[in-house]
Amino acid sequence: MLFHSTYGLRPAVRDAADRLRAAGHEVWTPDLFEGRTFETVEEGMVFKDELGKVELLKRAVLAAAPYSDRGLVYAGFSLGAATAQTLALGDDKARGLLLLHGTSDIAETASVDELPVQLHVAEPDAFEPDDWLTAWYLQMGKAGADVEIYRYAGAGHLYTDPGLPDYDEEAAEATWRVALGFLETL
């Protein structure tokens, strides 16, 4: 289950899903914004805030529910990574969590049984500062997750999206190599 960023379900998300399918994975890309896409993070954040966190999460849960008995690997880009994390930590059948460019708060009561988690994030990243990532890593470990973090020096926040100024081809290709290897182990 691959969730889009605050930009919406852009071609880069569909291309990522196609890359994963070409590697033998079954992938769903729910459109949590119902066809809306945005040119800037700010526009997307305004829409997300208008939609509301509860509605966004409800849409994500409804999208994942028909497949969750299969043991999903949750994945997402930035806001979609935060959404994927929330769902994976609440799904006892989740097989893994692949976070691209983002994380989210972790409930104190979160508990997983050695859930494999891989995070890919720019260094530095204004949306994922070092202090936050350190605390996040410790909380994920406390919850029982088996976490790997990969940092990409000099890359922009959404560096895997070739349609955005943040794009960094070298970092993006390195991310996909490592992520595909991770997915093969699940």
mmCIF file with all atom_site columns, all heavy atoms in Angstrom, residues 155-179:
data_model
loop_
_atom_site.group_PDB
_atom_site.id
_atom_site.type_symbol
_atom_site.label_atom_id
_atom_site.label_alt_id
_atom_site.label_comp_id
_atom_site.label_asym_id
_atom_site.label_entity_id
_atom_site.label_seq_id
_atom_site.pdbx_PDB_ins_code
_atom_site.Cartn_x
_atom_site.Cartn_y
_atom_site.Cartn_z
_atom_site.occupancy
_atom_site.B_iso_or_equiv
_atom_site.pdbx_formal_charge
_atom_site.auth_seq_id
_atom_site.auth_comp_id
_atom_site.auth_asym_id
_atom_site.auth_atom_id
_atom_site.pdbx_PDB_model_num
ATOM 1   N N   . ALA A 1 155 ? 20.474 16.158 -0.508  1.00 0.00 ? 155 ALA A N   1
ATOM 2   C CA  . ALA A 1 155 ? 19.254 15.937 -1.290  1.00 0.00 ? 155 ALA A CA  1
ATOM 3   C C   . ALA A 1 155 ? 18.136 16.818 -0.733  1.00 0.00 ? 155 ALA A C   1
ATOM 4   O O   . ALA A 1 155 ? 18.148 17.189 0.438   1.00 0.00 ? 155 ALA A O   1
ATOM 5   C CB  . ALA A 1 155 ? 18.841 14.469 -1.231  1.00 0.00 ? 155 ALA A CB  1
ATOM 6   N N   . GLY A 1 156 ? 17.157 17.146 -1.573  1.00 0.00 ? 156 GLY A N   1
ATOM 7   C CA  . GLY A 1 156 ? 15.991 17.895 -1.127  1.00 0.00 ? 156 GLY A CA  1
ATOM 8   C C   . GLY A 1 156 ? 14.984 16.965 -0.476  1.00 0.00 ? 156 GLY A C   1
ATOM 9   O O   . GLY A 1 156 ? 15.095 15.741 -0.565  1.00 0.00 ? 156 GLY A O   1
ATOM 10  N N   . HIS A 1 157 ? 13.977 17.528 0.161   1.00 0.00 ? 157 HIS A N   1
ATOM 11  C CA  . HIS A 1 157 ? 13.010 16.733 0.931   1.00 0.00 ? 157 HIS A CA  1
ATOM 12  C C   . HIS A 1 157 ? 12.399 15.590 0.115   1.00 0.00 ? 157 HIS A C   1
ATOM 13  O O   . HIS A 1 157 ? 12.486 14.438 0.503   1.00 0.00 ? 157 HIS A O   1
ATOM 14  C CB  . HIS A 1 157 ? 11.912 17.643 1.494   1.00 0.00 ? 157 HIS A CB  1
ATOM 15  C CG  . HIS A 1 157 ? 10.824 16.902 2.192   1.00 0.00 ? 157 HIS A CG  1
ATOM 16  N ND1 . HIS A 1 157 ? 11.042 16.184 3.360   1.00 0.00 ? 157 HIS A ND1 1
ATOM 17  C CD2 . HIS A 1 157 ? 9.516  16.736 1.897   1.00 0.00 ? 157 HIS A CD2 1
ATOM 18  C CE1 . HIS A 1 157 ? 9.909  15.629 3.745   1.00 0.00 ? 157 HIS A CE1 1
ATOM 19  N NE2 . HIS A 1 157 ? 8.968  15.945 2.878   1.00 0.00 ? 157 HIS A NE2 1
ATOM 20  N N   . LEU A 1 158 ? 11.765 15.896 -1.006  1.00 0.00 ? 158 LEU A N   1
ATOM 21  C CA  . LEU A 1 158 ? 11.136 14.852 -1.839  1.00 0.00 ? 158 LEU A CA  1
ATOM 22  C C   . LEU A 1 158 ? 12.053 14.531 -3.025  1.00 0.00 ? 158 LEU A C   1
ATOM 23  O O   . LEU A 1 158 ? 11.673 14.646 -4.183  1.00 0.00 ? 158 LEU A O   1
ATOM 24  C CB  . LEU A 1 158 ? 9.764  15.315 -2.321  1.00 0.00 ? 158 LEU A CB  1
ATOM 25  C CG  . LEU A 1 158 ? 8.615  15.023 -1.378  1.00 0.00 ? 158 LEU A CG  1
ATOM 26  C CD1 . LEU A 1 158 ? 7.377  15.798 -1.764  1.00 0.00 ? 158 LEU A CD1 1
ATOM 27  C CD2 . LEU A 1 158 ? 8.307  13.547 -1.319  1.00 0.00 ? 158 LEU A CD2 1
ATOM 28  N N   . TYR A 1 159 ? 13.257 14.080 -2.718  1.00 0.00 ? 159 TYR A N   1
ATOM 29  C CA  . TYR A 1 159 ? 14.300 13.897 -3.722  1.00 0.00 ? 159 TYR A CA  1
ATOM 30  C C   . TYR A 1 159 ? 14.043 12.748 -4.697  1.00 0.00 ? 159 TYR A C   1
ATOM 31  O O   . TYR A 1 159 ? 14.751 12.611 -5.688  1.00 0.00 ? 159 TYR A O   1
ATOM 32  C CB  . TYR A 1 159 ? 15.664 13.726 -3.049  1.00 0.00 ? 159 TYR A CB  1
ATOM 33  C CG  . TYR A 1 159 ? 15.777 12.487 -2.197  1.00 0.00 ? 159 TYR A CG  1
ATOM 34  C CD1 . TYR A 1 159 ? 16.085 11.253 -2.765  1.00 0.00 ? 159 TYR A CD1 1
ATOM 35  C CD2 . TYR A 1 159 ? 15.562 12.551 -0.823  1.00 0.00 ? 159 TYR A CD2 1
ATOM 36  C CE1 . TYR A 1 159 ? 16.166 10.119 -1.984  1.00 0.00 ? 159 TYR A CE1 1
ATOM 37  C CE2 . TYR A 1 159 ? 15.650 11.425 -0.041  1.00 0.00 ? 159 TYR A CE2 1
ATOM 38  C CZ  . TYR A 1 159 ? 15.950 10.210 -0.625  1.00 0.00 ? 159 TYR A CZ  1
ATOM 39  O OH  . TYR A 1 159 ? 16.018 9.083  0.154   1.00 0.00 ? 159 TYR A OH  1
ATOM 40  N N   . THR A 1 160 ? 13.038 11.915 -4.463  1.00 0.00 ? 160 THR A N   1
ATOM 41  C CA  . THR A 1 160 ? 12.762 10.817 -5.408  1.00 0.00 ? 160 THR A CA  1
ATOM 42  C C   . THR A 1 160 ? 11.768 11.217 -6.495  1.00 0.00 ? 160 THR A C   1
ATOM 43  O O   . THR A 1 160 ? 11.513 10.437 -7.401  1.00 0.00 ? 160 THR A O   1
ATOM 44  C CB  . THR A 1 160 ? 12.207 9.581  -4.677  1.00 0.00 ? 160 THR A CB  1
ATOM 45  O OG1 . THR A 1 160 ? 11.006 9.945  -3.989  1.00 0.00 ? 160 THR A OG1 1
ATOM 46  C CG2 . THR A 1 160 ? 13.224 8.994  -3.716  1.00 0.00 ? 160 THR A CG2 1
ATOM 47  N N   . ASP A 1 161 ? 11.215 12.420 -6.436  1.00 0.00 ? 161 ASP A N   1
ATOM 48  C CA  . ASP A 1 161 ? 10.202 12.864 -7.402  1.00 0.00 ? 161 ASP A CA  1
ATOM 49  C C   . ASP A 1 161 ? 10.858 13.702 -8.495  1.00 0.00 ? 161 ASP A C   1
ATOM 50  O O   . ASP A 1 161 ? 11.204 14.866 -8.280  1.00 0.00 ? 161 ASP A O   1
ATOM 51  C CB  . ASP A 1 161 ? 9.124  13.675 -6.690  1.00 0.00 ? 161 ASP A CB  1
ATOM 52  C CG  . ASP A 1 161 ? 7.947  14.024 -7.587  1.00 0.00 ? 161 ASP A CG  1
ATOM 53  O OD1 . ASP A 1 161 ? 8.143  14.171 -8.818  1.00 0.00 ? 161 ASP A OD1 1
ATOM 54  O OD2 . ASP A 1 161 ? 6.829  14.152 -7.065  1.00 0.00 ? 161 ASP A OD2 1
ATOM 55  N N   . PRO A 1 162 ? 11.017 13.134 -9.711  1.00 0.00 ? 162 PRO A N   1
ATOM 56  C CA  . PRO A 1 162 ? 11.700 13.863 -10.782 1.00 0.00 ? 162 PRO A CA  1
ATOM 57  C C   . PRO A 1 162 ? 10.945 15.103 -11.265 1.00 0.00 ? 162 PRO A C   1
ATOM 58  O O   . PRO A 1 162 ? 11.510 15.928 -11.968 1.00 0.00 ? 162 PRO A O   1
ATOM 59  C CB  . PRO A 1 162 ? 11.839 12.836 -11.910 1.00 0.00 ? 162 PRO A CB  1
ATOM 60  C CG  . PRO A 1 162 ? 10.966 11.702 -11.556 1.00 0.00 ? 162 PRO A CG  1
ATOM 61  C CD  . PRO A 1 162 ? 10.664 11.778 -10.096 1.00 0.00 ? 162 PRO A CD  1
ATOM 62  N N   . GLY A 1 163 ? 9.689  15.260 -10.868 1.00 0.00 ? 163 GLY A N   1
ATOM 63  C CA  . GLY A 1 163 ? 8.921  16.425 -11.274 1.00 0.00 ? 163 GLY A CA  1
ATOM 64  C C   . GLY A 1 163 ? 9.039  17.594 -10.316 1.00 0.00 ? 163 GLY A C   1
ATOM 65  O O   . GLY A 1 163 ? 8.382  18.618 -10.522 1.00 0.00 ? 163 GLY A O   1
ATOM 66  N N   . LEU A 1 164 ? 9.874  17.467 -9.292  1.00 0.00 ? 164 LEU A N   1
ATOM 67  C CA  . LEU A 1 164 ? 10.004 18.529 -8.293  1.00 0.00 ? 164 LEU A CA  1
ATOM 68  C C   . LEU A 1 164 ? 11.438 19.055 -8.229  1.00 0.00 ? 164 LEU A C   1
ATOM 69  O O   . LEU A 1 164 ? 12.382 18.333 -8.560  1.00 0.00 ? 164 LEU A O   1
ATOM 70  C CB  . LEU A 1 164 ? 9.604  17.999 -6.908  1.00 0.00 ? 164 LEU A CB  1
ATOM 71  C CG  . LEU A 1 164 ? 8.153  17.556 -6.750  1.00 0.00 ? 164 LEU A CG  1
ATOM 72  C CD1 . LEU A 1 164 ? 7.941  16.945 -5.374  1.00 0.00 ? 164 LEU A CD1 1
ATOM 73  C CD2 . LEU A 1 164 ? 7.211  18.725 -6.980  1.00 0.00 ? 164 LEU A CD2 1
ATOM 74  N N   . PRO A 1 165 ? 11.607 20.297 -7.774  1.00 0.00 ? 165 PRO A N   1
ATOM 75  C CA  . PRO A 1 165 ? 12.956 20.861 -7.658  1.00 0.00 ? 165 PRO A CA  1
ATOM 76  C C   . PRO A 1 165 ? 13.859 20.091 -6.697  1.00 0.00 ? 165 PRO A C   1
ATOM 77  O O   . PRO A 1 165 ? 15.081 20.152 -6.820  1.00 0.00 ? 165 PRO A O   1
ATOM 78  C CB  . PRO A 1 165 ? 12.715 22.284 -7.128  1.00 0.00 ? 165 PRO A CB  1
ATOM 79  C CG  . PRO A 1 165 ? 11.300 22.599 -7.422  1.00 0.00 ? 165 PRO A CG  1
ATOM 80  C CD  . PRO A 1 165 ? 10.566 21.282 -7.461  1.00 0.00 ? 165 PRO A CD  1
ATOM 81  N N   . ASP A 1 166 ? 13.284 19.364 -5.744  1.00 0.00 ? 166 ASP A N   1
ATOM 82  C CA  . ASP A 1 166 ? 14.066 18.582 -4.779  1.00 0.00 ? 166 ASP A CA  1
ATOM 83  C C   . ASP A 1 166 ? 14.767 17.375 -5.402  1.00 0.00 ? 166 ASP A C   1
ATOM 84  O O   . ASP A 1 166 ? 15.628 16.768 -4.762  1.00 0.00 ? 166 ASP A O   1
ATOM 85  C CB  . ASP A 1 166 ? 13.146 18.035 -3.673  1.00 0.00 ? 166 ASP A CB  1
ATOM 86  C CG  . ASP A 1 166 ? 12.691 19.090 -2.701  1.00 0.00 ? 166 ASP A CG  1
ATOM 87  O OD1 . ASP A 1 166 ? 13.244 20.206 -2.707  1.00 0.00 ? 166 ASP A OD1 1
ATOM 88  O OD2 . ASP A 1 166 ? 11.773 18.791 -1.914  1.00 0.00 ? 166 ASP A OD2 1
ATOM 89  N N   . TYR A 1 167 ? 14.388 17.000 -6.595  1.00 0.00 ? 167 TYR A N   1
ATOM 90  C CA  . TYR A 1 167 ? 14.861 15.746 -7.197  1.00 0.00 ? 167 TYR A CA  1
ATOM 91  C C   . TYR A 1 167 ? 16.383 15.652 -7.200  1.00 0.00 ? 167 TYR A C   1
ATOM 92  O O   . TYR A 1 167 ? 17.096 16.584 -7.559  1.00 0.00 ? 167 TYR A O   1
ATOM 93  C CB  . TYR A 1 167 ? 14.340 15.621 -8.617  1.00 0.00 ? 167 TYR A CB  1
ATOM 94  C CG  . TYR A 1 167 ? 14.750 14.333 -9.289  1.00 0.00 ? 167 TYR A CG  1
ATOM 95  C CD1 . TYR A 1 167 ? 14.361 13.108 -8.785  1.00 0.00 ? 167 TYR A CD1 1
ATOM 96  C CD2 . TYR A 1 167 ? 15.541 14.351 -10.434 1.00 0.00 ? 167 TYR A CD2 1
ATOM 97  C CE1 . TYR A 1 167 ? 14.724 11.921 -9.401  1.00 0.00 ? 167 TYR A CE1 1
ATOM 98  C CE2 . TYR A 1 167 ? 15.907 13.172 -11.066 1.00 0.00 ? 167 TYR A CE2 1
ATOM 99  C CZ  . TYR A 1 167 ? 15.499 11.962 -10.542 1.00 0.00 ? 167 TYR A CZ  1
ATOM 100 O OH  . TYR A 1 167 ? 15.868 10.797 -11.152 1.00 0.00 ? 167 TYR A OH  1
ATOM 101 N N   . ASP A 1 168 ? 16.865 14.482 -6.802  1.00 0.00 ? 168 ASP A N   1
ATOM 102 C CA  . ASP A 1 168 ? 18.291 14.161 -6.806  1.00 0.00 ? 168 ASP A CA  1
ATOM 103 C C   . ASP A 1 168 ? 18.414 12.742 -7.349  1.00 0.00 ? 168 ASP A C   1
ATOM 104 O O   . ASP A 1 168 ? 18.128 11.770 -6.644  1.00 0.00 ? 168 ASP A O   1
ATOM 105 C CB  . ASP A 1 168 ? 18.843 14.267 -5.376  1.00 0.00 ? 168 ASP A CB  1
ATOM 106 C CG  . ASP A 1 168 ? 20.330 14.004 -5.292  1.00 0.00 ? 168 ASP A CG  1
ATOM 107 O OD1 . ASP A 1 168 ? 20.819 13.024 -5.898  1.00 0.00 ? 168 ASP A OD1 1
ATOM 108 O OD2 . ASP A 1 168 ? 21.010 14.776 -4.604  1.00 0.00 ? 168 ASP A OD2 1
ATOM 109 N N   . GLU A 1 169 ? 18.800 12.636 -8.603  1.00 0.00 ? 169 GLU A N   1
ATOM 110 C CA  . GLU A 1 169 ? 18.815 11.338 -9.281  1.00 0.00 ? 169 GLU A CA  1
ATOM 111 C C   . GLU A 1 169 ? 19.685 10.310 -8.561  1.00 0.00 ? 169 GLU A C   1
ATOM 112 O O   . GLU A 1 169 ? 19.272 9.162  -8.379  1.00 0.00 ? 169 GLU A O   1
ATOM 113 C CB  . GLU A 1 169 ? 19.289 11.490 -10.727 1.00 0.00 ? 169 GLU A CB  1
ATOM 114 C CG  . GLU A 1 169 ? 19.251 10.191 -11.489 1.00 0.00 ? 169 GLU A CG  1
ATOM 115 C CD  . GLU A 1 169 ? 19.662 10.340 -12.949 1.00 0.00 ? 169 GLU A CD  1
ATOM 116 O OE1 . GLU A 1 169 ? 20.126 11.415 -13.351 1.00 0.00 ? 169 GLU A OE1 1
ATOM 117 O OE2 . GLU A 1 169 ? 19.511 9.342  -13.683 1.00 0.00 ? 169 GLU A OE2 1
ATOM 118 N N   . GLU A 1 170 ? 20.858 10.708 -8.130  1.00 0.00 ? 170 GLU A N   1
ATOM 119 C CA  . GLU A 1 170 ? 21.759 9.770  -7.467  1.00 0.00 ? 170 GLU A CA  1
ATOM 120 C C   . GLU A 1 170 ? 21.152 9.262  -6.151  1.00 0.00 ? 170 GLU A C   1
ATOM 121 O O   . GLU A 1 170 ? 21.146 8.055  -5.884  1.00 0.00 ? 170 GLU A O   1
ATOM 122 C CB  . GLU A 1 170 ? 23.106 10.445 -7.196  1.00 0.00 ? 170 GLU A CB  1
ATOM 123 C CG  . GLU A 1 170 ? 24.143 9.512  -6.621  1.00 0.00 ? 170 GLU A CG  1
ATOM 124 C CD  . GLU A 1 170 ? 25.488 10.192 -6.429  1.00 0.00 ? 170 GLU A CD  1
ATOM 125 O OE1 . GLU A 1 170 ? 25.808 11.135 -7.159  1.00 0.00 ? 170 GLU A OE1 1
ATOM 126 O OE2 . GLU A 1 170 ? 26.210 9.754  -5.515  1.00 0.00 ? 170 GLU A OE2 1
ATOM 127 N N   . ALA A 1 171 ? 20.632 10.168 -5.348  1.00 0.00 ? 171 ALA A N   1
ATOM 128 C CA  . ALA A 1 171 ? 20.015 9.766  -4.078  1.00 0.00 ? 171 ALA A CA  1
ATOM 129 C C   . ALA A 1 171 ? 18.769 8.919  -4.332  1.00 0.00 ? 171 ALA A C   1
ATOM 130 O O   . ALA A 1 171 ? 18.518 7.938  -3.623  1.00 0.00 ? 171 ALA A O   1
ATOM 131 C CB  . ALA A 1 171 ? 19.667 11.001 -3.253  1.00 0.00 ? 171 ALA A CB  1
ATOM 132 N N   . ALA A 1 172 ? 17.992 9.289  -5.347  1.00 0.00 ? 172 ALA A N   1
ATOM 133 C CA  . ALA A 1 172 ? 16.776 8.532  -5.661  1.00 0.00 ? 172 ALA A CA  1
ATOM 134 C C   . ALA A 1 172 ? 17.112 7.101  -6.071  1.00 0.00 ? 172 ALA A C   1
ATOM 135 O O   . ALA A 1 172 ? 16.483 6.148  -5.589  1.00 0.00 ? 172 ALA A O   1
ATOM 136 C CB  . ALA A 1 172 ? 15.986 9.232  -6.767  1.00 0.00 ? 172 ALA A CB  1
ATOM 137 N N   . GLU A 1 173 ? 18.082 6.936  -6.942  1.00 0.00 ? 173 GLU A N   1
ATOM 138 C CA  . GLU A 1 173 ? 18.446 5.584  -7.387  1.00 0.00 ? 173 GLU A CA  1
ATOM 139 C C   . GLU A 1 173 ? 19.022 4.761  -6.236  1.00 0.00 ? 173 GLU A C   1
ATOM 140 O O   . GLU A 1 173 ? 18.733 3.566  -6.125  1.00 0.00 ? 173 GLU A O   1
ATOM 141 C CB  . GLU A 1 173 ? 19.414 5.648  -8.572  1.00 0.00 ? 173 GLU A CB  1
ATOM 142 C CG  . GLU A 1 173 ? 18.745 6.108  -9.849  1.00 0.00 ? 173 GLU A CG  1
ATOM 143 C CD  . GLU A 1 173 ? 17.498 5.298  -10.210 1.00 0.00 ? 173 GLU A CD  1
ATOM 144 O OE1 . GLU A 1 173 ? 17.541 4.048  -10.181 1.00 0.00 ? 173 GLU A OE1 1
ATOM 145 O OE2 . GLU A 1 173 ? 16.464 5.920  -10.527 1.00 0.00 ? 173 GLU A OE2 1
ATOM 146 N N   . ALA A 1 174 ? 19.817 5.396  -5.375  1.00 0.00 ? 174 ALA A N   1
ATOM 147 C CA  . ALA A 1 174 ? 20.345 4.682  -4.202  1.00 0.00 ? 174 ALA A CA  1
ATOM 148 C C   . ALA A 1 174 ? 19.193 4.249  -3.289  1.00 0.00 ? 174 ALA A C   1
ATOM 149 O O   . ALA A 1 174 ? 19.182 3.119  -2.783  1.00 0.00 ? 174 ALA A O   1
ATOM 150 C CB  . ALA A 1 174 ? 21.332 5.565  -3.441  1.00 0.00 ? 174 ALA A CB  1
ATOM 151 N N   . THR A 1 175 ? 18.220 5.127  -3.112  1.00 0.00 ? 175 THR A N   1
ATOM 152 C CA  . THR A 1 175 ? 17.056 4.803  -2.280  1.00 0.00 ? 175 THR A CA  1
ATOM 153 C C   . THR A 1 175 ? 16.318 3.604  -2.838  1.00 0.00 ? 175 THR A C   1
ATOM 154 O O   . THR A 1 175 ? 15.992 2.666  -2.092  1.00 0.00 ? 175 THR A O   1
ATOM 155 C CB  . THR A 1 175 ? 16.110 6.019  -2.192  1.00 0.00 ? 175 THR A CB  1
ATOM 156 O OG1 . THR A 1 175 ? 16.788 7.059  -1.482  1.00 0.00 ? 175 THR A OG1 1
ATOM 157 C CG2 . THR A 1 175 ? 14.812 5.673  -1.482  1.00 0.00 ? 175 THR A CG2 1
ATOM 158 N N   . TRP A 1 176 ? 16.039 3.613  -4.129  1.00 0.00 ? 176 TRP A N   1
ATOM 159 C CA  . TRP A 1 176 ? 15.277 2.509  -4.717  1.00 0.00 ? 176 TRP A CA  1
ATOM 160 C C   . TRP A 1 176 ? 16.047 1.197  -4.668  1.00 0.00 ? 176 TRP A C   1
ATOM 161 O O   . TRP A 1 176 ? 15.460 0.142  -4.432  1.00 0.00 ? 176 TRP A O   1
ATOM 162 C CB  . TRP A 1 176 ? 14.834 2.843  -6.138  1.00 0.00 ? 176 TRP A CB  1
ATOM 163 C CG  . TRP A 1 176 ? 13.725 3.845  -6.118  1.00 0.00 ? 176 TRP A CG  1
ATOM 164 C CD1 . TRP A 1 176 ? 13.740 5.115  -6.612  1.00 0.00 ? 176 TRP A CD1 1
ATOM 165 C CD2 . TRP A 1 176 ? 12.438 3.669  -5.519  1.00 0.00 ? 176 TRP A CD2 1
ATOM 166 N NE1 . TRP A 1 176 ? 12.541 5.737  -6.355  1.00 0.00 ? 176 TRP A NE1 1
ATOM 167 C CE2 . TRP A 1 176 ? 11.719 4.872  -5.687  1.00 0.00 ? 176 TRP A CE2 1
ATOM 168 C CE3 . TRP A 1 176 ? 11.813 2.628  -4.847  1.00 0.00 ? 176 TRP A CE3 1
ATOM 169 C CZ2 . TRP A 1 176 ? 10.414 5.045  -5.218  1.00 0.00 ? 176 TRP A CZ2 1
ATOM 170 C CZ3 . TRP A 1 176 ? 10.517 2.795  -4.375  1.00 0.00 ? 176 TRP A CZ3 1
ATOM 171 C CH2 . TRP A 1 176 ? 9.831  3.992  -4.569  1.00 0.00 ? 176 TRP A CH2 1
ATOM 172 N N   . ARG A 1 177 ? 17.365 1.236  -4.840  1.00 0.00 ? 177 ARG A N   1
ATOM 173 C CA  . ARG A 1 177 ? 18.171 0.005  -4.738  1.00 0.00 ? 177 ARG A CA  1
ATOM 174 C C   . ARG A 1 177 ? 18.025 -0.606 -3.344  1.00 0.00 ? 177 ARG A C   1
ATOM 175 O O   . ARG A 1 177 ? 17.759 -1.799 -3.196  1.00 0.00 ? 177 ARG A O   1
ATOM 176 C CB  . ARG A 1 177 ? 19.650 0.321  -4.997  1.00 0.00 ? 177 ARG A CB  1
ATOM 177 C CG  . ARG A 1 177 ? 20.184 -0.145 -6.312  1.00 0.00 ? 177 ARG A CG  1
ATOM 178 C CD  . ARG A 1 177 ? 21.695 -0.030 -6.447  1.00 0.00 ? 177 ARG A CD  1
ATOM 179 N NE  . ARG A 1 177 ? 22.317 1.122  -5.826  1.00 0.00 ? 177 ARG A NE  1
ATOM 180 C CZ  . ARG A 1 177 ? 22.409 2.336  -6.368  1.00 0.00 ? 177 ARG A CZ  1
ATOM 181 N NH1 . ARG A 1 177 ? 21.902 2.576  -7.550  1.00 0.00 ? 177 ARG A NH1 1
ATOM 182 N NH2 . ARG A 1 177 ? 23.011 3.314  -5.728  1.00 0.00 ? 177 ARG A NH2 1
ATOM 183 N N   . VAL A 1 178 ? 18.200 0.230  -2.321  1.00 0.00 ? 178 VAL A N   1
ATOM 184 C CA  . VAL A 1 178 ? 18.130 -0.256 -0.937  1.00 0.00 ? 178 VAL A CA  1
ATOM 185 C C   . VAL A 1 178 ? 16.704 -0.682 -0.593  1.00 0.00 ? 178 VAL A C   1
ATOM 186 O O   . VAL A 1 178 ? 16.477 -1.725 0.027   1.00 0.00 ? 178 VAL A O   1
ATOM 187 C CB  . VAL A 1 178 ? 18.644 0.826  0.037   1.00 0.00 ? 178 VAL A CB  1
ATOM 188 C CG1 . VAL A 1 178 ? 18.431 0.410  1.482   1.00 0.00 ? 178 VAL A CG1 1
ATOM 189 C CG2 . VAL A 1 178 ? 20.122 1.105  -0.215  1.00 0.00 ? 178 VAL A CG2 1
ATOM 190 N N   . ALA A 1 179 ? 15.725 0.125  -0.991  1.00 0.00 ? 179 ALA A N   1
ATOM 191 C CA  . ALA A 1 179 ? 14.320 -0.178 -0.670  1.00 0.00 ? 179 ALA A CA  1
ATOM 192 C C   . ALA A 1 179 ? 13.866 -1.469 -1.320  1.00 0.00 ? 179 ALA A C   1
ATOM 193 O O   . ALA A 1 179 ? 13.173 -2.278 -0.684  1.00 0.00 ? 179 ALA A O   1
ATOM 194 C CB  . ALA A 1 179 ? 13.426 0.998  -1.099  1.00 0.00 ? 179 ALA A CB  1
#
